[in-house]
Amino acid sequence: MSVASRLLILQLVVFTVVAVVAGILFAVDERRDADDATRRSVTDIAVTMAQFPEVAEGLESADPTAALQPRAEQVREATGTDFVVVVDPDGIRVTHPVVDEIGRPYTGHIDEARSGTPFTETYTGSLGPSIRTVAPVHADDGDLVGFVSVGVTRQRIAENFLRGLPGIVGVVAAGLAVSAVGAYLISRRLRRQTLGLNPDQLRRMYEHHDAVLHSIGEGLLVFGTADGSPRVDIVNDEARRLLGLEPVGAVEFDDLLATVRELAVADEARDEVHLTRDRVLVVNSDAVVWNRRRIGTVVTLRDHTELRGVLGELDSVRGFAESLRAQAHESANRLHTIITMVELGRPEEAVAFATQELAVSQHLIDRLTSAVHEPALSALLLGKIDEAAERGVELTVTDDTELGPVPIPARDIVTLVGNLIDNAIDASHASDDPWVEVTVRQEDSSMIVEVADSGPGMSPEVLARAMQRGYSTKSEQRGLGLALVVQVVARHGGTLRTEPSLGSMIVAEIPVGGTS
C-alpha cells in the first residue's frame, strides 16, 4: 500500500475512535446534565407548591385528600412530572397519582425536611427509581403541617435522553464524515507528492539517493524555488569540496559563487569554465521541468584543475618543440647557404655568416640560462620568442630579466608567464608594428612579471571582472588564460595591475619572501 493509502486508513481509524469516544463522553455528560436539570426542576416545583396557602389549609382540613388531590394532579400534569405527593406530618400520603396508594406511608425520607430544609434524593418508590425533592409545608403560625414530594422517574429521564440521542449521533456522524472527507483530500494530495510510492520504496529511494550523492565523483547542486526565489536543496560532498563549503550543515544560496548563483536561474549551460581561488571547474546546468512547469535547476561541477595545469605544461612543451622545429628549419637554410658560399670559393664570408648567427642565438640562450634559475621558464621564453616570430610579432626579453630560486612551483610560473605572453601576442596584432616586451625579475621580496605589448590594452573593468571570485570564461580560451593568471596570483597572495607604457602593460607581483 502507498503512503497515502496507509495514512488514509490510519486517519479514518483514529477519527472513528475519537468520534466514538467523544460521542460517548458527550452522551454521559448529557445524561448527567439531564439529572441535574431534573433535580433543579423538581426542587423548584416542590418548594413553590409547599408555599401555596391552599396546601397548608388543605392539610389542616377535615378531608385533605378531597381538598388537595385535584390540585396535585393539576400541578403534575402542568409540570410534566411523574408524581406530586402531599404527605401529612405522620408520613401518610394524602395525594398520589395512583389512588390506591393514598393513605399509605410515604416511601422515602422526610426526616431532613422536618428541620425545615428541602432536600433532593434518588429513591426507588412505588413508581420505581426516581429523582425526588421533599419540601416542608408550614401553616401561617409556622407549625409544620406536612410535606410536598415532587419527582420524575428514571424511566422518563431515560426516555427524554433517548429522544435527544439521534441528535448526538448525528453530530458525531457529521464530524466523522467531515473528518473522512478531510482525510481523503489529504491522502490524495500526499499521493501526488509521493507519486503513489509505499514506505519501503521511499526508504530505498532515499538510501540509493544518499549513496549516489556521496559516491559520484562530480559536484552536484540541485536548486528549487521558494516564493519565486531559488534555494539550495541538495549539495553533495564533491560540490562542497570544490566550492570550499563546510563539509556538513545547511548551505545558503548567498554562500555560493556569484556565477553558480547565476546558473541557478539560467535555462542551460554547457561546459562553461568557472574559476575559484584555486580550482578550474567545468560547469553544466539544466532546468528541471515537471508538467510543463520549471521546478528547479541541476548544476554539475567537474574539477579540471590538474588537467588544465598539465595542458598548460603541454602547451609550453609544444611551443618549445615548435621553436626547435623552426630553429632546425632555419639551421638547415643557413647550412645550405654556408655550403653554397664555400662551393663558390668564399670560405671567409661563410665563416663570418655562421659565427654571426650562432653568436646571436647563443648569446640569448646563455643570458637566459644564467639569469633565470628555473629552466622551465628559460625554455618557455626561448620558445615564445620563436613562436612570436612565426606569428609576425617581435618578442623581446629585456636585459632586466633575472630570477633566482623562488618558492613558487614551476608549473605556476609557466602558467603565469606563458598566458600573459600569449594574451600580449594576441593583443599586439591590433597594431601595425606588433611587438611584445617581457621582464621577469626579483625585487626585494617579490617576483615581478611585466608584459608590455603594442595592443590597445585591457580595460580596468575586464581586469576587475577577471579578478572576481568565481570568474567565468564562457569557454573563451583567451579569457581562460587570463583567469588562470588571476588564479595563480591570488593563490600566492599577489597582485595584478595595469600600467601605462608605449602600448599596454600588465604587471603581476607575487611575494616570495627573502629568498634570492
Side-chain angles (χ1 to χ4, degrees), residues 234-266:
I234 295 174
V235 182
N236 73 340
D237 296 344
E238 183 67 6
R240 289 176 181 269
R241 184 182 72 85
L242 296 179
L243 297 176
L245 303 173
E246 293 295 329
V248 295
V251 177
E252 299 297 333
F253 186 72
D254 293 336
D255 296 338
L256 302 174
L257 301 178
T259 51
V260 176
R261 295 199 299 269
E262 293 174 2
L263 290 172
V265 296

Side-chain angles (χ1 to χ4, degrees), residues 226-299:
D227 299 328
S229 302
R231 69 168 186 275
V232 183
D233 286 342
I234 295 174
V235 182
N236 73 340
D237 296 344
E238 183 67 6
R240 289 176 181 269
R241 184 182 72 85
L242 296 179
L243 297 176
L245 303 173
E246 293 295 329
V248 295
V251 177
E252 299 297 333
F253 186 72
D254 293 336
D255 296 338
L256 302 174
L257 301 178
T259 51
V260 176
R261 295 199 299 269
E262 293 174 2
L263 290 172
V265 296
D267 292 333
E268 183 179 350
R270 285 289 175 268
D271 294 331
E272 291 188 5
V273 179
H274 293 245
L275 283 94
T276 64
R277 178 181 177 85
D278 54 0
R279 297 191 182 279
V280 179
L281 305 178
V282 177
V283 181
N284 291 274
S285 71
D286 285 286
V288 180
V289 180
W290 180 266
N291 290 334
R292 299 181 180 180
R293 181 175 62 89
R294 179 169 180 164
I295 60 174
T297 306
V298 175
V299 176

Side-chain angles (χ1 to χ4, degrees), residues 184-201:
Y184 172 74
L185 295 177
I186 294 174
S187 173
R188 190 172 67 172
R189 178 177 177 82
L190 185 62
R191 183 178 290 106
R192 289 199 307 268
Q193 293 178 333
T194 59
L195 304 179
L197 299 176
N198 62 40
D200 291 336
Q201 291 173 324

Side-chain angles (χ1 to χ4, degrees), residues 377-395:
L377 178 57
S378 300
L380 173 70
L381 293 174
L382 290 172
K384 290 299 181 183
I385 290 173
D386 292 326
E387 179 184 344
E390 286 190 350
R391 298 177 60 182
V393 178
E394 181 184 358
L395 192 152

